[in-house]
Amino acid sequence: MLIKEFIQVLRDKRTRFMLFGPPIVQMLIFGYAATLEIKHVPTAIVDYDNTQASRDLISRFAASEYFTVHLLPVDQRQIPMLIDRGDVTLAMQINAGFAQNLGKGQTAHIQLIVDSSSSNTALIGLGYVNQVAGNFAQDYQISRLKRLSPMMVSGMPRVLLDHRPWYNTDLSDRWFFIPGVIGNLIMVMIVNLTAFAVVREREIGTLEQIMVTPIRRVEFILGKTVPFFLIGLLDSILVTVFGTLWFGVPLRGSIGVLAVGTILFLVCVLAIGLFISTISRTQQQALMTAFFFIMPAIVFSGFGTPISSMPEAMQWLTYLNPLRYFQEILRSVYLKGVGLDVLWRQMAAMGLLGLITLTISVFRFQKSLD
């Protein structure tokens, strides 16, 4: 069965490419496209003040990498059309008397209009605006005090915050995403391969021919799963090496710990793929069922959004997701360099989930053969 499955998988050029080509392509796409950073937010600014202070504020936004000030409309009535067409996300209006109020030590109001159809972009963009405006107000206030009372400025107490990021000193979100992409690619590949393998045999009518041979059902199950386990292991090594070398993500932990976590995760996803094959009669059904599982699994793994931000009921559901534990293992081994003394809980959880899921899948598989 092992030899038959390997011959069937590897004899087709297209299948060989699909096993190893798409993981590399998807790693490149996700590695460059998946990001949590919001940069170059299209911005329009209406300046009714036209003073040195207002131009200084506009120049700070233009010089920031987070904003692209490519529109300076002369009338505020142009703003709704610009936002409706999607030309800008932020629109700022500086009213007349802005510099005059600052000179008097009074509050100078700025109107900010945000396209909140993309709430994440709007929230992050507002944070950037507050940061730029706050720095401008602080610098202007210090400059004003220097002109009025230089001695007061020299004796003014300040609080300076020293940032010290651990494990990811440059705060690169690519270092966060690449280990997560590795887990997602392994799960998608192995679940689909395992689910389709058995369904394909049933669909073309060869399953009955195999079952009338002297082969036992345990041997049939091993013959269908072990090849994909080995292929998954090879794909895991491929995407791990590629992600590490191409994107420069440091692998600070033990390769042995990473290998143990990968093997336990492969057992879990193999069992899930086998279970999908027992409840599907056609490859189309297997595809839809696998999609139904894969998408929630990625969302509940904490790949893109923190699990702590989810509703409490959803957080409990994440404990049934093996991808959640594998994501924690990947990021901890890659970035923190921790070992089994820290990750044994995640390892034990994946081992328990794999054992339960594999037992249910094998039982279901035997019943489906009956």
Side-chain angles (χ1 to χ4, degrees), residues 39-44 61-62 64-71 88:
K39 291 185 178 180
H40 309 294
V41 178
T43 306
F61 281 97
S64 172
E65 64 176 343
Y66 301 114
F67 301 96
T68 300
V69 183
H70 54 77
L71 288 171
V88 299

Side-chain angles (χ1 to χ4, degrees), residues 68-142:
T68 300
V69 183
H70 54 77
L71 288 171
L72 295 172
V74 296
D75 194 339
Q76 64 177 355
R77 288 175 293 184
Q78 297 176 254
I79 292 177
M81 181 59 68
L82 293 174
I83 293 180
D84 289 343
R85 291 189 313 203
D87 294 335
V88 299
T89 302
L90 298 176
M92 184 183 303
Q93 178 178 318
I94 304 175
N95 295 322
F98 174 77
Q100 185 179 2
N101 290 334
L102 287 176
K104 294 178 180 179
Q106 299 176 355
T107 301
H109 293 279
I110 298 174
Q111 184 182 31
L112 184 67
I113 302 172
V114 186
D115 180 4
S116 298
S117 57
S118 176
S119 58
N120 185 54
T121 302
L123 286 172
I124 297 177
L126 283 173
Y128 293 155
V129 170
N130 290 329
Q131 182 179 356
V132 174
N135 291 335
F136 170 80
Q138 182 180 9
D139 294 342
Y140 190 90
Q141 185 68 13
I142 292 175

Side-chain angles (χ1 to χ4, degrees), residues 72 106 109 117 193 208 233 247 253 271 316 322 334 365:
L72 295 172
Q106 299 176 355
H109 293 279
S117 57
L193 284 175
E208 290 79 6
L233 205 56
F247 294 102
W316 283 103
Y334 261 91
F365 189 79

Side-chain angles (χ1 to χ4, degrees), residues 213-265:
T213 65
I215 188 172
R216 293 180 297 175
R217 294 179 179 180
V218 174
E219 295 171 341
F220 177 77
I221 294 173
L222 289 176
K224 281 292 182 182
T225 54
V226 171
F228 299 117
F229 174 82
L230 298 177
I231 291 173
L233 205 56
L234 183 59
D235 271 337
S236 304
I237 297 172
L238 182 64
V239 295
T240 300
V241 172
F242 183 81
T244 303
L245 298 180
W246 184 271
F247 294 102
V249 182
L251 180 57
R252 299 191 175 115
S254 169
I255 296 178
V257 174
L258 184 61
V260 172
T262 303
I263 290 172
L264 291 174
F265 180 67

Side-chain angles (χ1 to χ4, degrees), residues 14-29 185 189 239:
R14 182 180 177 183
T15 305
R16 290 200 302 267
F17 173 77
M18 294 298 293
L19 289 177
F20 306 109
I24 299 299
V25 175
Q26 293 178 42
M27 174 65 74
L28 286 171
I29 293 174
L185 292 179
M189 180 69 66
V239 295

